[in-house]
Amino acid sequence: MAKKTTDAAIRRELKRVVGLEARALGRVLAAVDGSYTRAVRLLASCKGKVVCTGVGKSGLIAQKIAATFSSTGTPAVYLDPGDAMHGGLGMVQRQDLVVAIGKSGESDELNALLPGLRRVGARLIAITANPSSTLTRGAAVVLLTPVGDEACPLNLAPTSSTTAALAVGDALAVALMKLRDFRPEHFAANHPGGRLGRRLNLLVGDIMRGGSANPVVRLSDAFSRLLDEITRFQAGAVSVLDSKGRLAGLVTDFDIRKALLKAGDIRGLSIKGIMNPKPLTVFSDEPASKAVSVMQDRKTPFNVLPVIDRRRRPVGMVQIHDLRARGL
C-alpha cells in the first residue's frame, strides 16, 4: 500500500501535520494570560538555577529549554526524572526553580518528584495541557498548553504537545532576555566557540593588519612614496595621515589606476589629489562582523577598510579575504 502512495498524498500529509501544529500554537497563544507573566517574574527573581525536567519526548524538550535558558542569561540544567529518584534530586536546592513539562500531568516518574521538591522547598512551574492534573496541583504556576489532538494520526506520539511546550520555553527565555536587557555582548560571553562565537567575539583588532604591517603615508609625502607603500604591503590600499597622525583619507589601487588613466603621467599626481577624503572606516574595538557589514552592505561592495582608534588614528587595515579566512 505504501509503495502506491503518490507524491501529492505525501505533500497533503506534510501540510496536514504542519497545519495541525500551527493551529495548536494558535490555541497556546490564546491561552497566554497572567500566569505566563507570573512565570516570567518568578524566573527573573530566581536566586538559584532553573531545573528543567520531563519524561520521554517532553524530557527532550526540557533539555532544549534548559539549553536556551543558559545561553540567554538564565542558568539552567536538565534533570532526568529517573535519575532524580536515585540521587539526582540532590541537585535541587531551596533557591532553585523547577520547570516540569508533561502534557497529561500524570506521568508517574514526573509526579514522583513532587514530594521531594516540597521537602526541599523549591517552587515548581508546570507546562501542561491538563488543568486538573496531579502536576498542576503541585505547581506554584501553571502554564496551560491546550493543544487538543496530537498531529500523530493515532493521536499517540507527542507532536503538537511538544511543539507547544518548546514554543512556551522559547517565549519564557526571550521574555527574560527583554526583562534583563540581555545584549549581544552578554550573548557573546556565553558563545565563545564555533561560527557564532567568531561572529560575536572576534574584534577587528584581532584580524586587521596592524603595527608594522599597516600601510600608511603622510599627506605631505611624495606620490612615489605612496606607490612604494601600496606595492610593498599589497593590502590594496594605503591610509593617509594628516599632520596630527589622524586619518585624512584613503588611496586604493583603483584610485591610482583611475588617476593614471586620466592624467597619463604620475608627475602631475599628488596624494591629496587622488585620495578619498571621507572613506568608510571601522574601529579596532568593534566586532569583526561589523567590518564585513560595512564592506558589503553597499550598492558597490569593496574589499579593504581602514581601521582607526577612537582618536581617528589609523591603526590597521582589514581585507575581506582576511575576514573570510576566519569564518566571517
Side-chain angles (χ1 to χ4, degrees):
M1 183 67 69
K3 293 182 179 179
K4 296 180 180 179
T5 303
T6 64
D7 288 350
I10 293 173
R11 283 195 297 272
R12 283 196 299 272
E13 180 61 12
L14 293 170
K15 290 182 178 181
R16 183 192 73 82
V17 172
V18 173
L20 280 173
E21 298 205 2
R23 288 192 288 277
L25 288 177
R27 287 190 286 272
V28 174
L29 177 61
V32 174
D33 58 9
S35 62
Y36 279 76
T37 305
R38 289 194 296 276
V40 172
R41 295 290 185 188
L42 194 58
L43 286 160
S45 64
C46 178
K47 301 301 182 182
K49 60 187 175 294
V50 177
V51 180
C52 299
T53 187
V55 178
K57 307 299 187 297
S58 293
L60 296 175
I61 298 301
Q63 291 181 54
K64 193 277 179 185
I65 292 174
T68 301
F69 276 151
S70 293
S71 69
T72 55
T74 301
V77 296
Y78 169 71
L79 175 62
D80 180 87
D83 291 341
M85 298 309 296
H86 297 277
L89 193 59
M91 76 160 59
V92 183
Q93 299 178 324
R94 182 180 182 84
Q95 66 268 30
D96 295 338
L97 188 60
V98 178
V99 176
I101 305 169
K103 178 187 177 183
S104 70
E106 296 296 350
S107 298
D108 292 339
E109 303 96 322
L110 198 57
N111 289 333
L113 299 180
L114 298 180
L117 296 179
R118 283 194 293 269
R119 284 194 297 272
V120 171
R123 289 173 293 182
L124 174 68
I125 295 174
I127 301 176
T128 181
N130 186 352
S132 58
S133 66
T134 302
L135 181 64
T136 297
R137 291 193 296 272
V141 178
V142 179
L143 305 181
L144 288 178
T145 55
V147 296
D149 291 341
E150 301 285 3
C152 164
L154 303 176
N155 194 27
L156 294 175
T159 45
S160 298
S161 60
T162 47
T163 297
L166 180 61
V168 169
D170 286 344
L172 294 174
V174 173
L176 285 166
M177 290 176 69
K178 292 281 189 177
L179 192 63
R180 292 170 170 159
D181 193 24
F182 195 77
R183 301 182 181 184
E185 57 267 29
H186 304 139
F187 197 82
N190 295 336
H191 296 77
R195 184 180 179 87
L196 180 59
R198 289 193 295 272
R199 284 189 59 83
L200 293 171
N201 291 289
L202 270 180
L203 301 180
V204 173
D206 298 326
I207 298 177
M208 71 181 188
R209 303 179 183 201
S212 61
N214 180 29
V216 295
V217 294
R218 294 194 172 274
L219 197 57
S220 57
D221 284 341
F223 192 79
S224 57
R225 171 70 188 279
L226 169 66
L227 293 178
D228 287 341
E229 291 296 288
I230 204 165
T231 301
R232 181 163 67 94
F233 286 97
Q234 297 184 1
V238 175
S239 295
V240 181
L241 308 181
D242 64 13
S243 59
K244 296 182 179 180
R246 297 170 303 193
L247 183 69
L250 183 75
V251 178
T252 66
D253 287 336
F254 176 75
D255 293 328
I256 295 173
R257 292 194 301 270
K258 184 172 64 173
L260 287 173
L261 285 172
K262 184 177 181 179
D265 189 340
I266 67 169
R267 288 175 295 182
L269 298 178
S270 67
I271 294 175
K272 184 176 182 179
I274 72 166
M275 75 178 187
N276 174 4
K278 295 181 179 180
L280 292 174
T281 61
V282 67
F283 291 115
S284 60
D285 57 1
E286 289 186 302
S289 57
K290 170 73 177 296
V292 177
S293 299
V294 171
M295 282 191 260
Q296 294 194 332
D297 293 349
R298 300 175 74 245
K299 187 175 181 180
T300 306
F302 55 99
N303 297 323
V304 65
L305 193 64
V307 182
I308 59 175
D309 63 17
R310 296 292 170 171
R311 296 172 63 184
R312 289 199 59 79
R313 297 176 302 185
V315 293
M317 193 77 69
V318 63
Q319 289 188 319
I320 191 66
H321 68 257
D322 294 331
L323 297 163
R324 294 299 184 209
R326 299 294 290 270
L328 295 168

